[in-house]
Amino acid sequence: LSGLCSNDCPRKITPFGVNQPGPYIMYTAVDANGYLKNGSAGQLSQSAHLALQLPYNVLGLGRSANFLDHLYVGIPRPSGETSVRKQEWTAIIPNSQLIVIPYPHNVPRSWSAKLYLTPSNIVLLTAIALIGVCVFILAIIGILHWQEKKADDREKRQEAHRFHFDAM
């Protein structure tokens, strides 16, 4: 997003603004074979009226379930300025949406990123599997505890029936 306000922004409000032409996004990740994979895209590279490009970027990771190692976002700088306007984020969750708010433009360290994650059925299946494993382990512990208690009772009964010659 552009991170701009229509007028002066209050101190505690982060301006979202609207989408802007020119941001550049690049990522590095490790693929399923262990090789480093890079990808990049530009946002709204057309400047025509009613451009056909979408106001966001979709970066396809392929069959990778790993986190993005590094995500770099850069925005264009005004002509005559020499400072680089880019920021890096690490360990971004795949299958999520990341909204970057570059405010203020000239201080990349203060840019904020909001990560939106939509959980799928896999989260529910994982929770069910975890609960099932816990119940299975509790059943094994209960059976072993019951067998130990039964063996202790049997030993106590055998000890009670034994005649002690020392007592005479």
Side-chain angles (χ1 to χ4, degrees):
L1 300 173
S2 65
L4 297 176
C5 289
S6 58
N7 52 13
D8 282 343
C9 292
R11 278 278 197 213
K12 297 183 182 187
I13 296 177
T14 302
F16 281 85
V18 295
N19 52 6
Q20 65 176 349
Y24 183 73
I25 298 105
M26 185 182 96
Y27 72 88
T28 60
V30 177
D31 66 0
N33 297 326
Y35 297 111
L36 192 63
K37 176 181 170 182
N38 293 327
S40 61
Q43 181 176 322
L44 293 177
S45 59
Q46 294 177 345
S47 61
H49 181 66
L50 295 175
L52 297 176
Q53 293 179 339
L54 298 173
Y56 54 86
N57 287 338
V58 176
L59 301 172
L61 299 178
R63 297 186 54 85
S64 175
N66 291 336
F67 287 80
L68 291 180
D69 294 332
H70 301 280
L71 179 76
Y72 302 94
V73 176
I75 60 172
R77 61 180 177 238
S79 60
E81 190 174 317
T82 58
S83 64
V84 176
R85 294 178 172 186
K86 85 172 184 180
Q87 175 65 321
E88 173 188 3
W89 286 274
T90 57
I92 302 296
I93 302 170
N95 294 331
S96 62
Q97 296 177 4
L98 183 72
I99 296 176
V100 176
I101 304 167
Y103 178 78
H105 292 296
N106 55 354
V107 187
R109 290 281 172 212
S110 67
W111 294 0
S112 62
K114 301 196 180 296
L115 183 74
Y116 295 99
L117 182 64
T118 305
S120 63
N121 291 343
I122 295 173
V123 175
L124 180 63
L125 294 175
T126 304
I128 290 171
L130 178 65
I131 291 170
V133 168
C134 289
V135 167
F136 179 71
I137 290 173
L138 284 173
I140 289 174
I141 290 172
I143 290 170
L144 291 175
H145 182 70
W146 179 72
Q147 286 179 348
E148 183 72 23
K149 198 170 186 179
K150 193 174 171 183
D152 285 346
D153 289 343
R154 191 177 321 119
E155 264 185 40
K156 283 181 184 177
R157 274 186 273 135
Q158 286 177 353
E159 187 68 32
H161 290 317
R162 197 176 296 166
F163 183 76
H164 293 285
F165 291 102
D166 294 337
M168 295 174 116

